[in-house]
Structure formats: structure tokens, C-alpha cells
Amino acid sequence: EQTLVKKRPKVRQISNKTRYDGGEFNMAYRSGIERVFNMKLEINEKLVYYVLRDFITYPSNCIMINGQIPTMIELESIIGLKERTISKALKSLEDKNIIKLVQSSHRKAVYVNPEYYASGKDLLTETLKMFDLLQCDESKVNSYLE
């Protein structure tokens, strides 16, 4: 007599809304990956971009390490390059509109362009505007809010 030893456990269905709303995943568009690839980034630019993008936070798409904007010293230890090389790569990536550098007190916050890599599907409006991915007439928006 044969018996089934290992039964499959019941699979609990999770709605797409629960799984995909918020920053529970990172996403990259195939077209964005191809555009970045076709930019022919230098090796240091690639290293900085590919290491940092794994630290983006939801919903701002800003690079954060342990809940804070990282210092150059922290980036040196994570990326394995010197501060000057990282700064040069960041400036070059900013010129190519892959990232934006925004002064935040004594540190520079790094925002990744969500067109290439995003921390979720519902990002902050400010981040989208930063990369000219969302345009709206502020006066019309304000008139609707009044």
C-alpha cells in the first residue's frame, strides 16, 4: 500500500495590491536597463551606480544606509573606491540624468532616476518632478485643493 508522504501545503493567495503596493520590491524597466547599458558608462560609474541602487528607499528613491543619507566615508567602505573617485562618478551619473545630487545639511543625498530603477511603483511626487517625469501646473493643482 502506498501513501503520499509529503503533501503540498495549501498556498495562501495574496492579492496583487498587498504584494505590490509600497516599497516591498525594487524594479527595473527593461528599456531603462538598455538605455543605461547604451550610455557606455565608465567602470567606476557602473560600480557606483550598481552598488548604490540596492540602497534606494521607498517612497523617495533616495539612497539611505541605516536610515540616513550616507557620508562619503561610508560610501568608500561600501563601494571600495576613494572619495574623490566616487564624487567624480556621481557627478558624471548626474550629468547623464541617472541620479540627482541634492544638498541635505552637510551631506549630499543621492536620488536614483525611477525611469531606470525604482523602489516601488508609488513614488513621491517630488522625486518624479526632480527627474521631469511628472509635470503639472502648480496653480491648477492649488486651485483644486482650495
Side-chain angles (χ1 to χ4, degrees), residues 8-72:
R8 283 188 181 183
K10 287 186 179 180
V11 177
R12 188 173 62 109
Q13 292 292 333
I14 300 172
S15 74
N16 284 342
K17 183 124 179 96
T18 308
R19 289 178 59 201
Y20 297 114
D21 277 356
E24 297 177 15
F25 66 96
N26 290 342
M27 62 185 200
Y29 294 101
R30 202 171 290 134
S31 61
I33 293 169
E34 290 170 359
R35 283 196 310 235
V36 171
F37 179 76
N38 291 331
M39 288 181 190
K40 306 283 189 227
L41 300 177
E42 293 180 18
I43 193 74
N44 289 339
E45 294 169 343
K46 285 180 188 178
L47 180 62
V48 169
Y49 173 67
Y50 289 119
V51 169
L52 289 184
R53 75 178 191 174
D54 291 334
F55 291 97
I56 61 175
T57 56
Y58 175 80
S60 65
N61 238 39
C62 181
I63 303 299
M64 300 283 258
I65 298 173
N66 297 325
Q68 295 183 13
I69 297 167
T71 63
M72 279 297 175

Side-chain angles (χ1 to χ4, degrees), residues 59-60 111 123-134:
S60 65
Y111 290 85
L123 297 175
L124 292 178
T125 304
E126 293 80 20
T127 303
L128 298 173
K129 285 181 182 179
M130 188 184 305
F131 291 98
D132 294 324
L133 299 175
L134 178 69

Side-chain angles (χ1 to χ4, degrees), residues 50-102:
Y50 289 119
V51 169
L52 289 184
R53 75 178 191 174
D54 291 334
F55 291 97
I56 61 175
T57 56
Y58 175 80
S60 65
N61 238 39
C62 181
I63 303 299
M64 300 283 258
I65 298 173
N66 297 325
Q68 295 183 13
I69 297 167
T71 63
M72 279 297 175
I73 294 168
E74 291 171 320
L75 292 180
E76 277 184 349
S77 65
I78 292 169
I79 299 172
L81 298 173
K82 296 290 183 193
E83 180 181 344
R84 187 176 177 142
T85 307
I86 294 170
S87 294
K88 184 179 173 185
L90 288 173
K91 181 64 180 139
S92 180
L93 290 169
E94 184 177 36
D95 292 343
K96 294 173 180 162
N97 200 35
I98 295 174
I99 64 164
K100 289 280 186 211
L101 299 172
V102 177

